[in-house]
Amino acid sequence: MENTEIWLGSLITKTPQEGRELAIKMARKTIGAIQSDPEVKKRLRPQYAEDAGLLVASAEVVALEFQTVAAANNYWR
Amino acid sequence: MENTEIWLGSLITKTPQEGRELAIKMARKTIGAIQSDPEVKKRLRPQYAEDAGLLVASAEVVALEFQTVAAANNYWR
Amino acid sequence: MENTEIWLGSLITKTPQEGRELAIKMARKTIGAIQSDPEVKKRLRPQYAEDAGLLVASAEVVALEFQTVAAANNYWR
Amino acid sequence: MENTEIWLGSLITKTPQEGRELAIKMARKTIGAIQSDPEVKKRLRPQYAEDAGLLVASAEVVALEFQTVAAANNYWR
Amino acid sequence: MENTEIWLGSLITKTPQEGRELAIKMARKTIGAIQSDPEVKKRLRPQYAEDAGLLVASAEVVALEFQTVAAANNYWR
Amino acid sequence: MENTEIWLGSLITKTPQEGRELAIKMARKTIGAIQSDPEVKKRLRPQYAEDAGLLVASAEVVALEFQTVAAANNYWR
């Protein structure tokens, strides 16, 4: 119980840009859920950010998460 | 019959975060359905968690599963 | 005519878990449609199940098929 | 004009299984549109069918095309 | 202003097959937007068409674009 | 606060082509959010544009972002 941080209380955001930030957070939290060891995460982090292929793959995950967030917010129309 | 564990009784969850956990479970259960040998699974597990490319690919699967769970829950609106 | 097995009579399933099984079947049947030689299929099978990258890629296909099955079933709501 | 074969007159099919066949055809036709040289296509074909990674990637394309076909047919409900 | 060619005036097409052609055009135009140097594009083109993995990946992009075009056209129903 | 540039005020665009440009911008901004070091970004940029595999992967991200933008705009119908 102590470990369970509630980080996703809602998919609703005030603006598209906040929705974008939530999408990035969602992608990051999944990585954290699969690999929870802070040492390993620290070791892997520079790989994401400096490998062009990993950056594009990460951008794909964010695009998918944002599809969900945007639909939840009825596209902030 | 004995082997069939019912692990997906419903796509409905109380909160977005529980939906997130369900999405991760769905991704994991697929892996388990394709590769059911516990020895092999144990051998492969560290690969997912320590290979940046596999972590991002896994995050993509979770994002796709979550799209389904979120739609099922009408985005917890 | 003789070769045509009707394996996808409907996308409707009684439960989410049966929908999951259908999604896995759909993914497998596509592989079978592209590569129908039983000898080659037998040779490739261990690769899917023991290569972490292929397992994650297979899980992505299942996630996509399940999106369709779940929508067809109106998410078993 | 002469070269233009009309192969996609409609997304509507009588059954889910015919929808599946259409999805496979759509994926194949895209390959043919990008690489129209019959010699090259012949040379590449065994690669798809005997490389586990390419088979899974091809199955992903079919899953995406089928999402469209299934929605067009209102999931044959 | 002079460089801005309007190539996407509408997502509406008369037939599914024209929708398919639009989806292929959309995929190609993105490549052109990221890599606008005609010399480099000419150098890369044979790679797409003769590498089985790139062909399948390209087919995936076309499938995604077609999902959008098909929805825009209400599946030409 | 000073660093926070509001670049995504709305998903609504006047035309499909502007929607396309927004989709490309969204993909680029994600890369920028993950890798914010201008030196590294400058070093990676030629890789995207001259590697056929990265170009196709980038086109996939744009296709996904455009799905969201197009839905937000009700396909500019």
Side-chain angles (χ1 to χ4, degrees), chain F residues 21-53:
Chain F
E21 282 152 24
L22 178 57
I24 291 173
K25 187 184 183 181
M26 287 160 77
R28 284 200 169 125
K29 286 283 183 181
T30 308
I31 306 286
I34 303 172
Q35 177 48 269
S36 51
D37 182 331
E39 280 312 303
V40 181
K41 280 201 274 190
K42 213 166 92 184
R43 181 152 42 82
L44 295 177
R45 201 157 300 153
Q47 291 183 33
Y48 296 108
E50 299 195 16
D51 177 302

Side-chain angles (χ1 to χ4, degrees), chain B:
Chain B
M1 230 46 176
E2 287 143 288
N3 285 335
T4 310
E5 176 210 358
I6 299 296
W7 62 269
L8 189 62
S10 168
L11 294 174
I12 307 305
T13 70
K14 258 181 275 176
T15 65
Q17 184 141 341
E18 283 176 36
R20 206 74 196 160
E21 282 153 24
L22 179 56
I24 291 172
K25 187 184 183 181
M26 287 160 77
R28 284 200 170 127
K29 286 282 183 182
T30 308
I31 306 285
I34 305 172
Q35 176 49 269
S36 52
D37 182 332
E39 280 312 302
V40 181
K41 280 201 273 191
K42 213 166 93 182
R43 181 153 42 83
L44 296 177
R45 201 157 300 152
Q47 292 182 34
Y48 296 107
E50 298 193 20
D51 177 302
L54 282 173
L55 269 170
V56 176
S58 302
E60 191 178 333
V61 179
V62 171
L64 287 167
E65 302 284 17
F66 187 68
Q67 289 190 331
T68 309
V69 174
N73 286 279
N74 201 23
Y75 305 99
W76 300 274
R77 275 193 288 234

Side-chain angles (χ1 to χ4, degrees), chain F residues 11-76:
Chain F
L11 293 175
I12 307 304
T13 70
K14 258 180 278 178
T15 65
Q17 184 141 341
E18 283 175 35
R20 206 75 195 159
E21 282 152 24
L22 178 57
I24 291 173
K25 187 184 183 181
M26 287 160 77
R28 284 200 169 125
K29 286 283 183 181
T30 308
I31 306 286
I34 303 172
Q35 177 48 269
S36 51
D37 182 331
E39 280 312 303
V40 181
K41 280 201 274 190
K42 213 166 92 184
R43 181 152 42 82
L44 295 177
R45 201 157 300 153
Q47 291 183 33
Y48 296 108
E50 299 195 16
D51 177 302
L54 282 173
L55 268 171
V56 175
S58 301
E60 191 178 334
V61 179
V62 171
L64 286 168
E65 302 285 16
F66 186 68
Q67 289 191 332
T68 310
V69 175
N73 286 278
N74 200 24
Y75 305 100
W76 300 275

Side-chain angles (χ1 to χ4, degrees), chain C residues 11-14 19 68-77, chain D residues 75 77:
Chain C
L11 294 174
I12 306 305
T13 69
K14 258 180 277 176
T68 309
V69 174
N73 285 279
N74 201 23
Y75 305 99
W76 300 274
R77 275 193 288 235
Chain D
Y75 304 99
R77 275 194 286 236

Side-chain angles (χ1 to χ4, degrees), chain D residues 2-3 6 11 15 20-22 25 29 37 43-44 52-53 57 59 62-64 72-73:
Chain D
E2 286 144 288
N3 285 335
I6 298 297
L11 293 175
T15 65
R20 207 72 196 163
E21 282 152 26
L22 179 56
K25 187 182 183 182
K29 287 283 184 181
D37 182 332
R43 180 153 41 84
L44 295 177
V62 172
L64 287 167
N73 286 280

Side-chain angles (χ1 to χ4, degrees), chain A:
Chain A
M1 229 47 175
E2 287 144 288
N3 285 334
T4 311
E5 175 210 358
I6 299 296
W7 63 269
L8 188 61
S10 167
L11 294 175
I12 306 304
T13 70
K14 258 180 276 176
T15 65
Q17 184 141 342
E18 282 175 36
R20 206 73 196 161
E21 282 152 24
L22 178 56
I24 292 172
K25 187 184 183 180
M26 286 160 77
R28 284 199 170 127
K29 285 283 184 183
T30 308
I31 306 286
I34 304 171
Q35 177 49 269
S36 52
D37 182 332
E39 280 311 304
V40 181
K41 281 202 273 191
K42 214 166 92 182
R43 182 153 42 83
L44 295 177
R45 201 157 300 152
Q47 291 182 34
Y48 296 106
E50 298 195 18
D51 177 302
L54 282 173
L55 268 171
V56 175
S58 302
E60 192 178 333
V61 179
V62 171
L64 286 167
E65 301 284 17
F66 186 68
Q67 289 190 332
T68 309
V69 174
N73 286 278
N74 201 23
Y75 304 99
W76 300 274
R77 275 193 288 235

